[in-house]
Amino acid sequence: MDYQFKDIEKKWQQFWADHQTFKAEDKTTKPKYYVLDMFPYPSGAGLHVGHPLGYIASDIFSRYKRLKGFNVLHPMGYDSFGLPAEQYAIQTGQHPAITTEANINTYRRQLDQIGFSFDWSREVRTSSPDYYKWTQWIFMQLFNSWYNKDADKAESITTLVQHFENSGSKGINAVCDDDVLTFTADEWKAMSNHDQQEELLKYRLTYLRESTVNWCPALGTVLANDEVKDGFSERGGYPVEQKKMMQWSMRITAYADRLLKGLDTIDWPEPLKEMQRNWIGKSVGASVRFKLEDTSINANKALPSDFIEVFTTRVDTIFGVSFLVLAPEHELVASLTAPEQKADIDNYITQTKKKSELERMADAKTVSGAFTGSYAVNPLNGEKIPVWIADYVLAGYGTGAVMAVPSGDQRDYLFAKHFDLPIIQIIDIQKIDTEADPTKEGRYINSDFINGLTYKDAVAATVAKLEEIGAGKAKVNFRMRDAIFGRQRYWGEPVPVYFKDDLPHLISESDLPLVLPEVDKYLPTETGEPPLARATGWNYNGSEYELSTMPGWAGSSWYWYRYMDAHNNKAFASKEAIEYWKDVDLYIGGSEHATGHLLYSRFWNKFLKDMGEVVEEEPFKKLINQGMIQGRSNFVYRIIDDEGRGTNTFVSSGLRKDYKTSALHVDVNIVKNDILDLDKFKSWRPEFADAEFILDQGKYICGTEVEKMSKRYYNVVNPDDIATQYGADTLRMYEMFLGPLEQSKPWNTNGIEGVFKFLRKFWRLFHNDAWEFKVSEKEPSKAELKSLHKIIRKVEEDIERFSFNTSVSSFMIAVNELTDLKCNNKAILQDMVIILSPYAPHICEELWEILGNESGTLSYAPYPKFNPDFLIEDEFAYPISVNGKTKLNLSIPLSLEGKEVEDMVLASADVQKYLDGKTPKKVIVVKGRIVNIVI
RNA sequence: GCCUGGGUGGUGGACCUGGUAGACACGCAGGACUUAAAAUCCUGUUCGCCUUAAAGCGAGUGCGGGUUCGAUUCCCGCCCCAGGUACCA
C-alpha cells in the first residue's frame, strides 16, 4: 500500500497512549535525562506553527536519548494564568477558568496530533489550585526569609529575630530597605509587636514597597506596558499616567551576585548569558553626597535630607561636575524648587508623567530639563553647582540623581550645550570640541589633588578623600531592580496574606490553597480597587485579604519541579523525586524570556536551594533558544479608479506599478507559493465574487511581507492544516528543515512537498512496485554500508549540536543513495528506521513492525553504532588554489600520504602549467593538505 | 536610546574550527512515461560577458574599509530587519 500517513499516525498515537510508552520511570538503573519545553500560555487563537518548533526539537532529542538508553522525563503543561483570558472575560463576562479550559483542550488536541512523546501523566496547570497552592507556599517561604550577606544565603526570619533579641541590630549584614533602624536588644524587646513586624518587613524577601504603575483614570485600572500605546490605553484610547502605588516586591537584588556567578557554571547560549549580565548590570563605582547650599529657598522648609546622593562609575571625574540632575520624581524636587522656577518645574513634571520609562529612555535626541533654582556644593572643591531635573535620569536606577560631567558623558554634554552650562576639561588628552570624550587614558588636569594622576590612581585617591571627609564611599550598584510582585488583576494566584493593623500577615499553611473567589465582574471596583475587592465575604477571620494577585511569572518560576512529582499533596515535590531528577538537563525555549522567566526561575531556584528544598544551585543545565516563527502575509492589489474608489479588479504584484492600487491582506490559506487561487479568492468573501484579475503570465502573483503572526493579517498558520494534508511526520521534519532552530524566520510552506516526497521515498524503499513489502536478508553491499554509516555519523553529530535542519538534508541524500542502489537489505533498513525515528516516529514505528519487530519496541531500540571502516574511499577530490584564486581539482589516491601527496600535486600538469618551470614562492599546507600555491 | 541576534541565488537554507560559496529542498524551464491526470524519473537553473558548441573570462555571502597566501567566517565604521527593555507570555 502507498504511504497512508493518516492511518499510520492514528494507529501509533493510539498505541503510545494505550501503552503509556513515554511514561518516565521514577526508579531505574538507567541514567536520568530531563528534557523540558517552555510550557505554553493557552491562548484563544490556538497553537500556531511557532509553538511546535521548539517542541519538535525537544521531542527529537528526547526520543534520541531514549534510544541511547536514558530514562527520559519529557513533560508538558500550561502556563494558564494570564492577561488575555482576563481581557476576554472583561469583554464577554465569561469566567477565565472556562475559556482557559477550552483553550487547553484545543492545545491538547493540536499537540496530540503531532505525535509528541510527552509524559502526560505529569501535566501541570498553573491556574489549578492543586498547583498554585505550592506557588503560594513558596511565596510564604520568601516572606518568612531574609538574606544574610555574611552567610551569603537566605535564612529563616526566626534567625534574624533571635539576633535582634540577643544583640539588637548590631552585627546584622542583610539585604534590606534603606531605612532600617538601629537598635539594641533591649530596645528591640521594648518595641510593640506592631513596630517589630514593621521593622521585619524591611528585611523579608517579599515586602511592600511603593512603585510606579501605568494608571488609566478613565478605565480606573492599572495597565500593562503592552496595553499602553504612546501614552494612551490601547483599549479606548484614554490617557495613561504614571502613578505610585504600594506593591508587593521580591528582593531579587539580594541574589544579584549569585545570579551573575551562576552564569559561568551553565551551558547556555553566550548571548543569552550576556543579556542577563547586562540586565543585572553590576557596576562598581562610588556614592557621593553633595550638600545642599543653605539658601533662602529651602531654609525654612523641612527637607527630607540636606544632601543629594548620587551614584557614579566615574568618581575620578568629580572635578568636571558642572551641574546635578535629579529624576523628576526625586523626593527632593519639591523642596528644592525656587518660587520663580515653580511653573517651569511643575510643567516639566507633568510632561514627564505622560511618558513611560521606555519612551524616556528611547528619546535620547531631544534634550529637555528644568532648573530648580537651587544649588549644591561639590564636596571636594566647594564649587556651587546648579541642580536640574531631567527625564533622562530615572528614579528607579541608582539614587535617582546623577552628577553631570559634560566633558566625559555625551548626554551631559548635549544637556550642557543646550542649556549653556560649563563644560570642564579634566583629562589632558580629552578632545571635547564637538562631543564628550569618556577616555580613561591620559593625566588629570583642573582636578586639584588628582592632577597628573592616572585613572586607576585617581579613583583610589578620590574615594579615599571622600571617605575621609564623610562625603562618599566606594559602592557597587546594580541596574536590576527588585521585582514587583503584585498585579491589580483577577486571573492570577491570590497572595496568601491578610491585613491586620495595616500590617501584612501570612495565612496559616493549613489554609492553603487560598482559592480565587468568584466575582460578578472582572473589572476593578468603582473606587479603583482590584477586582478581588468585588468578592463577597472574602476575608480571613474577618481581616481583609490582600486584593492584588501574583504576576504571570510566579507560576512559571518553579514548575519544572512539579513535573518531578506532579500529584504530591504533601509537598511541591517529594525529596526523593527531587533527589533523583535534580535539575533540567535540556531546556528549550525562546530568548524573549532571557530577562524575565529565565531570571526569575534562577532566583526562586537559588532561594529554594538556600531553604534546603532542592539540591541544585542552577535549575537549567543546558539551554537552547529556538527562534520565533513570524507570519508571512500575502497581499492582493486592488486597482483604484480616477475618483479614488476601489474597483473590483486586482492586478498581479509585478504589474502593479502601471496602476494606482491599494494593498489588501489576503488569507494565506488561499495562496500557494504566492500564487492566488482565483476561485477560492472569489468565494473567500461575497464582495469578491465577481472580481476580475490582470494576470502575469497566466497567474496572479501576490505581494508578501513579514509581520507578526496575527489573526487580523490573515497570516496565522495553524499546524492542523499541515497535519491533515501531509501528516505529522512531514510537519515535524518540515519544521526542522525550515532552517536553524535558533534562527527566527517567517513561516512558509514552499518546501513542504520535498519533505513529503522524502517520506514517501523512504516508505517505497521497503516495498516493490505493487506496494508489496519486500526486504532481503542478504549481506549488505559496501556501498549500502557506506550510505548507512555516513548518515549514522552525520545525524548523531547533528543532534548533539542541535542542527536538525542539516540532518533532514542528509536523510534526503541517504535515501536517494539507497534508492539508486535499489537497497532492500533488512539490516540496513532496520538501522535507518531507528535513526530516522526521532524525526518521523509514526512512519518508523510502522516500518519497524513491518520488518518483523515487536510492536512499539522501537522507542527503546538500541541506537546503531557508527563504524568508520565502512567509509573508506580509494581516492578523493583534491581542490587547491593558485595565488588564492584559481581553482584546480586533482584526484589523489588515498594510499599516498604527506610528502608524496605534495610532490604529486606539484608535479601535476595542471600545477606545472601555472608554475612554468619555476619553484613556488610559498606552499600553504593545512592538516597535511596543500590548499594554496603562491607563485 | 540601550542590550542581544540576524542579513548568502527567484525562495527556505548549506558552508560546523579562516581553506572548492550556493549542499539539500522548493520554484521555474525542458524532456520521459501516460488517452489524460496523479505519481515517478531524467536534464538544466547565482549573475554578467563570450561561444555554434566544448570551454573560458569577470563579479559575487547587506554597504564601506582592514587583517591574511586565502574572509560568508576575524577586526573597524555604517545601513536595514527581528527579540528584549522590568505589568504580554
Side-chain angles (χ1 to χ4, degrees), chain A residues 290-293 308 318-325 371-388 402-404 421 424:
Chain A
F290 288 76
K291 264 213 158 28
L292 291 167
E293 210 193 32
I308 293 171
I318 192 162
F319 293 100
V321 174
S322 52
F323 55 103
L324 295 185
V325 189
F371 179 46
T372 60
S374 290
Y375 293 84
V377 178
N378 188 328
L380 293 188
N381 62 4
E383 289 281 334
K384 194 170 133 180
I385 300 165
V387 180
W388 287 65
V402 300
M403 57 179 224
L421 293 156
I424 307 159

mmCIF file of all heavy atoms in Angstrom, chain A residues 290-293 308 318-325 371-388 402-404 421 424:
data_model
loop_
_atom_site.group_PDB
_atom_site.id
_atom_site.type_symbol
_atom_site.label_atom_id
_atom_site.label_comp_id
_atom_site.label_asym_id
_atom_site.label_seq_id
_atom_site.Cartn_x
_atom_site.Cartn_y
_atom_site.Cartn_z
ATOM 1 N N PHE A 290 26.404 65.358 47.796
ATOM 2 C CA PHE A 290 26.551 66.790 47.519
ATOM 3 C C PHE A 290 25.655 67.529 48.506
ATOM 4 O O PHE A 290 24.434 67.411 48.426
ATOM 5 C CB PHE A 290 26.129 67.105 46.078
ATOM 6 C CG PHE A 290 27.110 66.621 45.040
ATOM 7 C CD1 PHE A 290 27.184 65.271 44.704
ATOM 8 C CD2 PHE A 290 27.960 67.508 44.390
ATOM 9 C CE1 PHE A 290 28.079 64.833 43.746
ATOM 10 C CE2 PHE A 290 28.863 67.080 43.435
ATOM 11 C CZ PHE A 290 28.925 65.739 43.105
ATOM 12 N N LYS A 291 26.280 68.257 49.416
ATOM 13 C CA LYS A 291 25.487 69.025 50.399
ATOM 14 C C LYS A 291 24.718 70.130 49.689
ATOM 15 O O LYS A 291 25.230 70.741 48.745
ATOM 16 C CB LYS A 291 26.429 69.653 51.434
ATOM 17 C CG LYS A 291 26.582 68.846 52.694
ATOM 18 C CD LYS A 291 26.777 69.797 53.896
ATOM 19 C CE LYS A 291 26.434 69.193 55.247
ATOM 20 N NZ LYS A 291 26.552 67.782 55.430
ATOM 21 N N LEU A 292 23.493 70.355 50.147
ATOM 22 C CA LEU A 292 22.710 71.423 49.549
ATOM 23 C C LEU A 292 23.197 72.755 50.093
ATOM 24 O O LEU A 292 23.563 72.865 51.268
ATOM 25 C CB LEU A 292 21.240 71.236 49.881
ATOM 26 C CG LEU A 292 20.615 70.027 49.187
ATOM 27 C CD1 LEU A 292 19.268 69.698 49.781
ATOM 28 C CD2 LEU A 292 20.489 70.299 47.694
ATOM 29 N N GLU A 293 23.184 73.746 49.223
ATOM 30 C CA GLU A 293 23.568 75.071 49.679
ATOM 31 C C GLU A 293 22.443 75.634 50.531
ATOM 32 O O GLU A 293 21.274 75.506 50.185
ATOM 33 C CB GLU A 293 23.813 75.995 48.474
ATOM 34 C CG GLU A 293 24.832 77.027 48.787
ATOM 35 C CD GLU A 293 24.851 78.114 47.747
ATOM 36 O OE1 GLU A 293 23.785 78.413 47.163
ATOM 37 O OE2 GLU A 293 25.929 78.672 47.527
ATOM 38 N N ILE A 308 22.277 65.697 48.420
ATOM 39 C CA ILE A 308 21.825 64.880 47.295
ATOM 40 C C ILE A 308 22.849 63.781 47.119
ATOM 41 O O ILE A 308 24.047 64.049 46.998
ATOM 42 C CB ILE A 308 21.726 65.720 46.008
ATOM 43 C CG1 ILE A 308 20.605 66.746 46.150
ATOM 44 C CG2 ILE A 308 21.478 64.819 44.799
ATOM 45 C CD1 ILE A 308 20.570 67.756 45.013
ATOM 46 N N ILE A 318 34.999 63.867 39.167
ATOM 47 C CA ILE A 318 34.192 64.730 40.045
ATOM 48 C C ILE A 318 34.553 66.214 39.921
ATOM 49 O O ILE A 318 33.714 67.083 40.149
ATOM 50 C CB ILE A 318 34.289 64.252 41.507
ATOM 51 C CG1 ILE A 318 33.235 64.948 42.381
ATOM 52 C CG2 ILE A 318 35.700 64.419 42.058
ATOM 53 C CD1 ILE A 318 32.970 64.263 43.688
ATOM 54 N N PHE A 319 35.782 66.498 39.501
ATOM 55 C CA PHE A 319 36.136 67.915 39.316
ATOM 56 C C PHE A 319 35.587 68.474 38.008
ATOM 57 O O PHE A 319 35.710 69.661 37.737
ATOM 58 C CB PHE A 319 37.660 68.102 39.404
ATOM 59 C CG PHE A 319 38.186 67.827 40.776
ATOM 60 C CD1 PHE A 319 38.781 66.610 41.092
ATOM 61 C CD2 PHE A 319 38.056 68.788 41.786
ATOM 62 C CE1 PHE A 319 39.241 66.355 42.378
ATOM 63 C CE2 PHE A 319 38.520 68.524 43.071
ATOM 64 C CZ PHE A 319 39.111 67.308 43.365
ATOM 65 N N GLY A 320 34.998 67.614 37.202
ATOM 66 C CA GLY A 320 34.370 68.070 35.952
ATOM 67 C C GLY A 320 32.868 68.253 36.094
ATOM 68 O O GLY A 320 32.174 68.541 35.124
ATOM 69 N N VAL A 321 32.362 68.096 37.323
ATOM 70 C CA VAL A 321 30.916 68.225 37.524
ATOM 71 C C VAL A 321 30.499 69.683 37.383
ATOM 72 O O VAL A 321 31.046 70.549 38.056
ATOM 73 C CB VAL A 321 30.512 67.719 38.930
ATOM 74 C CG1 VAL A 321 29.040 67.995 39.190
ATOM 75 C CG2 VAL A 321 30.797 66.230 39.067
ATOM 76 N N SER A 322 29.541 69.944 36.470
ATOM 77 C CA SER A 322 29.095 71.324 36.361
ATOM 78 C C SER A 322 27.618 71.503 36.687
ATOM 79 O O SER A 322 27.129 72.619 36.723
ATOM 80 C CB SER A 322 29.424 71.898 34.981
ATOM 81 O OG SER A 322 28.957 71.062 33.977
ATOM 82 N N PHE A 323 26.922 70.397 36.917
ATOM 83 C CA PHE A 323 25.540 70.504 37.419
ATOM 84 C C PHE A 323 25.111 69.123 37.914
ATOM 85 O O PHE A 323 25.763 68.117 37.618
ATOM 86 C CB PHE A 323 24.573 71.025 36.352
ATOM 87 C CG PHE A 323 24.554 70.252 35.058
ATOM 88 C CD1 PHE A 323 23.515 69.375 34.783
ATOM 89 C CD2 PHE A 323 25.570 70.411 34.102
ATOM 90 C CE1 PHE A 323 23.497 68.682 33.580
ATOM 91 C CE2 PHE A 323 25.543 69.713 32.905
ATOM 92 C CZ PHE A 323 24.498 68.844 32.647
ATOM 93 N N LEU A 324 24.051 69.093 38.705
ATOM 94 C CA LEU A 324 23.455 67.831 39.149
ATOM 95 C C LEU A 324 22.108 67.691 38.477
ATOM 96 O O LEU A 324 21.435 68.681 38.218
ATOM 97 C CB LEU A 324 23.251 67.811 40.673
ATOM 98 C CG LEU A 324 24.482 67.845 41.589
ATOM 99 C CD1 LEU A 324 24.014 67.700 43.044
ATOM 100 C CD2 LEU A 324 25.470 66.744 41.250
ATOM 101 N N VAL A 325 21.725 66.445 38.184
ATOM 102 C CA VAL A 325 20.405 66.228 37.596
ATOM 103 C C VAL A 325 19.648 65.224 38.446
ATOM 104 O O VAL A 325 20.144 64.127 38.741
ATOM 105 C CB VAL A 325 20.498 65.696 36.157
ATOM 106 C CG1 VAL A 325 19.115 65.688 35.515
ATOM 107 C CG2 VAL A 325 21.466 66.517 35.330
ATOM 108 N N PHE A 371 15.472 73.856 35.453
ATOM 109 C CA PHE A 371 16.321 74.256 36.574
ATOM 110 C C PHE A 371 15.465 74.463 37.817
ATOM 111 O O PHE A 371 14.405 75.077 37.743
ATOM 112 C CB PHE A 371 17.058 75.556 36.196
ATOM 113 C CG PHE A 371 17.957 76.084 37.280
ATOM 114 C CD1 PHE A 371 18.825 75.223 37.978
ATOM 115 C CD2 PHE A 371 17.955 77.429 37.605
ATOM 116 C CE1 PHE A 371 19.658 75.719 38.972
ATOM 117 C CE2 PHE A 371 18.793 77.931 38.598
ATOM 118 C CZ PHE A 371 19.638 77.071 39.281
ATOM 119 N N THR A 372 15.940 73.919 38.971
ATOM 120 C CA THR A 372 15.137 74.042 40.193
ATOM 121 C C THR A 372 15.323 75.396 40.861
ATOM 122 O O THR A 372 14.493 75.813 41.669
ATOM 123 C CB THR A 372 15.554 72.975 41.230
ATOM 124 O OG1 THR A 372 16.940 73.155 41.547
ATOM 125 C CG2 THR A 372 15.321 71.568 40.722
ATOM 126 N N GLY A 373 16.453 76.054 40.546
ATOM 127 C CA GLY A 373 16.749 77.305 41.237
ATOM 128 C C GLY A 373 17.638 77.092 42.451
ATOM 129 O O GLY A 373 18.057 78.056 43.092
ATOM 130 N N SER A 374 17.920 75.822 42.780
ATOM 131 C CA SER A 374 18.766 75.536 43.944
ATOM 132 C C SER A 374 20.162 75.122 43.522
ATOM 133 O O SER A 374 20.401 74.777 42.374
ATOM 134 C CB SER A 374 18.156 74.407 44.773
ATOM 135 O OG SER A 374 17.002 74.853 45.405
ATOM 136 N N TYR A 375 21.063 75.150 44.532
ATOM 137 C CA TYR A 375 22.449 74.777 44.274
ATOM 138 C C TYR A 375 22.921 73.775 45.320
ATOM 139 O O TYR A 375 22.431 73.749 46.449
ATOM 140 C CB TYR A 375 23.355 76.012 44.300
ATOM 141 C CG TYR A 375 23.068 76.957 43.153
ATOM 142 C CD1 TYR A 375 22.045 77.900 43.232
ATOM 143 C CD2 TYR A 375 23.813 76.877 41.966
ATOM 144 C CE1 TYR A 375 21.758 78.747 42.178
ATOM 145 C CE2 TYR A 375 23.536 77.731 40.904
ATOM 146 C CZ TYR A 375 22.512 78.663 41.007
ATOM 147 O OH TYR A 375 22.245 79.493 39.968
ATOM 148 N N ALA A 376 23.881 72.948 44.895
ATOM 149 C CA ALA A 376 24.539 72.051 45.838
ATOM 150 C C ALA A 376 26.023 72.358 45.799
ATOM 151 O O ALA A 376 26.473 73.142 44.967
ATOM 152 C CB ALA A 376 24.282 70.610 45.460
ATOM 153 N N VAL A 377 26.761 71.721 46.679
ATOM 154 C CA VAL A 377 28.184 72.041 46.789
ATOM 155 C C VAL A 377 29.015 70.798 46.507
ATOM 156 O O VAL A 377 28.764 69.730 47.078
ATOM 157 C CB VAL A 377 28.505 72.569 48.206
ATOM 158 C CG1 VAL A 377 29.990 72.853 48.321
ATOM 159 C CG2 VAL A 377 27.675 73.800 48.500
ATOM 160 N N ASN A 378 29.976 70.964 45.606
ATOM 161 C CA ASN A 378 30.899 69.867 45.317
ATOM 162 C C ASN A 378 31.751 69.608 46.565
ATOM 163 O O ASN A 378 32.455 70.503 47.012
ATOM 164 C CB ASN A 378 31.777 70.244 44.118
ATOM 165 C CG ASN A 378 32.635 69.071 43.646
ATOM 166 O OD1 ASN A 378 33.046 68.245 44.447
ATOM 167 N ND2 ASN A 378 32.883 69.033 42.357
ATOM 168 N N PRO A 379 31.686 68.413 47.145
ATOM 169 C CA PRO A 379 32.355 68.168 48.423
ATOM 170 C C PRO A 379 33.879 68.299 48.335
ATOM 171 O O PRO A 379 34.530 68.474 49.354
ATOM 172 C CB PRO A 379 31.947 66.739 48.786
ATOM 173 C CG PRO A 379 31.539 66.110 47.496
ATOM 174 C CD PRO A 379 30.982 67.223 46.660
ATOM 175 N N LEU A 380 34.446 68.189 47.138
ATOM 176 C CA LEU A 380 35.905 68.192 47.046
ATOM 177 C C LEU A 380 36.499 69.556 46.722
ATOM 178 O O LEU A 380 37.667 69.795 46.997
ATOM 179 C CB LEU A 380 36.379 67.155 46.027
ATOM 180 C CG LEU A 380 36.109 65.698 46.436
ATOM 181 C CD1 LEU A 380 36.791 64.738 45.469
ATOM 182 C CD2 LEU A 380 36.560 65.422 47.872
ATOM 183 N N ASN A 381 35.736 70.446 46.117
ATOM 184 C CA ASN A 381 36.318 71.760 45.841
ATOM 185 C C ASN A 381 35.397 72.916 46.232
ATOM 186 O O ASN A 381 35.706 74.077 45.962
ATOM 187 C CB ASN A 381 36.725 71.877 44.363
ATOM 188 C CG ASN A 381 35.530 71.747 43.425
ATOM 189 O OD1 ASN A 381 34.385 71.651 43.894
ATOM 190 N ND2 ASN A 381 35.787 71.745 42.123
ATOM 191 N N GLY A 382 34.258 72.608 46.853
ATOM 192 C CA GLY A 382 33.369 73.655 47.344
ATOM 193 C C GLY A 382 32.665 74.454 46.268
ATOM 194 O O GLY A 382 32.000 75.441 46.555
ATOM 195 N N GLU A 383 32.772 74.020 45.001
ATOM 196 C CA GLU A 383 32.092 74.740 43.906
ATOM 197 C C GLU A 383 30.574 74.697 44.117
ATOM 198 O O GLU A 383 30.023 73.696 44.563
ATOM 199 C CB GLU A 383 32.378 74.065 42.558
ATOM 200 C CG GLU A 383 33.782 74.217 42.032
ATOM 201 C CD GLU A 383 34.042 75.564 41.381
ATOM 202 O OE1 GLU A 383 33.090 76.192 40.890
ATOM 203 O OE2 GLU A 383 35.229 75.979 41.386
ATOM 204 N N LYS A 384 29.937 75.761 43.707
ATOM 205 C CA LYS A 384 28.489 75.837 43.755
ATOM 206 C C LYS A 384 27.936 75.237 42.458
ATOM 207 O O LYS A 384 28.329 75.654 41.358
ATOM 208 C CB LYS A 384 28.100 77.311 43.870
ATOM 209 C CG LYS A 384 26.680 77.553 44.247
ATOM 210 C CD LYS A 384 26.503 79.039 44.575
ATOM 211 C CE LYS A 384 25.275 79.564 43.864
ATOM 212 N NZ LYS A 384 25.025 80.990 44.118
ATOM 213 N N ILE A 385 27.060 74.261 42.598
ATOM 214 C CA ILE A 385 26.594 73.517 41.420
ATOM 215 C C ILE A 385 25.080 73.603 41.283
ATOM 216 O O ILE A 385 24.353 73.279 42.222
ATOM 217 C CB ILE A 385 26.991 72.029 41.533
ATOM 218 C CG1 ILE A 385 28.515 71.914 41.633
ATOM 219 C CG2 ILE A 385 26.481 71.216 40.367
ATOM 220 C CD1 ILE A 385 28.957 70.565 42.093
ATOM 221 N N PRO A 386 24.587 74.048 40.121
ATOM 222 C CA PRO A 386 23.126 74.142 39.952
ATOM 223 C C PRO A 386 22.473 72.754 39.904
ATOM 224 O O PRO A 386 23.065 71.807 39.418
ATOM 225 C CB PRO A 386 22.977 74.850 38.604
ATOM 226 C CG PRO A 386 24.242 74.564 37.879
ATOM 227 C CD PRO A 386 25.319 74.467 38.921
ATOM 228 N N VAL A 387 21.268 72.666 40.443
ATOM 229 C CA VAL A 387 20.521 71.402 40.454
ATOM 230 C C VAL A 387 19.384 71.482 39.446
ATOM 231 O O VAL A 387 18.546 72.378 39.526
ATOM 232 C CB VAL A 387 19.965 71.096 41.865
ATOM 233 C CG1 VAL A 387 19.193 69.786 41.858
ATOM 234 C CG2 VAL A 387 21.095 71.052 42.888
ATOM 235 N N TRP A 388 19.394 70.547 38.503
ATOM 236 C CA TRP A 388 18.374 70.489 37.457
ATOM 237 C C TRP A 388 17.542 69.216 37.614
ATOM 238 O O TRP A 388 17.925 68.307 38.343
ATOM 239 C CB TRP A 388 19.045 70.477 36.074
ATOM 240 C CG TRP A 388 19.628 71.809 35.673
ATOM 241 C CD1 TRP A 388 20.665 72.467 36.267
ATOM 242 C CD2 TRP A 388 19.191 72.633 34.605
ATOM 243 N NE1 TRP A 388 20.912 73.660 35.634
ATOM 244 C CE2 TRP A 388 20.021 73.791 34.600
ATOM 245 C CE3 TRP A 388 18.172 72.541 33.640
ATOM 246 C CZ2 TRP A 388 19.859 74.823 33.662
ATOM 247 C CZ3 TRP A 388 18.022 73.566 32.717
ATOM 248 C CH2 TRP A 388 18.858 74.704 32.740
ATOM 249 N N VAL A 402 22.092 62.136 39.355
ATOM 250 C CA VAL A 402 23.438 61.942 38.795
ATOM 251 C C VAL A 402 24.219 63.236 38.888
ATOM 252 O O VAL A 402 23.658 64.338 38.910
ATOM 253 C CB VAL A 402 23.395 61.489 37.312
ATOM 254 C CG1 VAL A 402 22.652 60.169 37.173
ATOM 255 C CG2 VAL A 402 22.790 62.543 36.416
ATOM 256 N N MET A 403 25.544 63.071 38.984
ATOM 257 C CA MET A 403 26.403 64.238 38.855
ATOM 258 C C MET A 403 26.766 64.320 37.379
ATOM 259 O O MET A 403 27.175 63.336 36.769
ATOM 260 C CB MET A 403 27.650 64.109 39.739
ATOM 261 C CG MET A 403 28.516 62.888 39.489
ATOM 262 S SD MET A 403 29.953 62.845 40.562
ATOM 263 C CE MET A 403 31.238 62.362 39.404
ATOM 264 N N ALA A 404 26.545 65.481 36.775
ATOM 265 C CA ALA A 404 26.744 65.603 35.339
ATOM 266 C C ALA A 404 28.154 66.086 35.046
ATOM 267 O O ALA A 404 28.609 67.089 35.599
ATOM 268 C CB ALA A 404 25.727 66.564 34.750
ATOM 269 N N LEU A 421 25.572 75.413 29.967
ATOM 270 C CA LEU A 421 26.236 75.152 31.238
ATOM 271 C C LEU A 421 27.704 74.867 30.953
ATOM 272 O O LEU A 421 28.067 74.472 29.846
ATOM 273 C CB LEU A 421 25.577 73.951 31.929
ATOM 274 C CG LEU A 421 24.129 74.210 32.401
ATOM 275 C CD1 LEU A 421 23.346 72.920 32.516
ATOM 276 C CD2 LEU A 421 24.132 74.971 33.716
ATOM 277 N N ILE A 424 33.845 71.362 31.502
ATOM 278 C CA ILE A 424 35.194 71.479 32.056
ATOM 279 C C ILE A 424 36.053 70.304 31.607
ATOM 280 O O ILE A 424 35.720 69.146 31.859
ATOM 281 C CB ILE A 424 35.134 71.504 33.606
ATOM 282 C CG1 ILE A 424 34.158 72.584 34.090
ATOM 283 C CG2 ILE A 424 36.533 71.698 34.195
ATOM 284 C CD1 ILE A 424 33.656 72.378 35.507
#
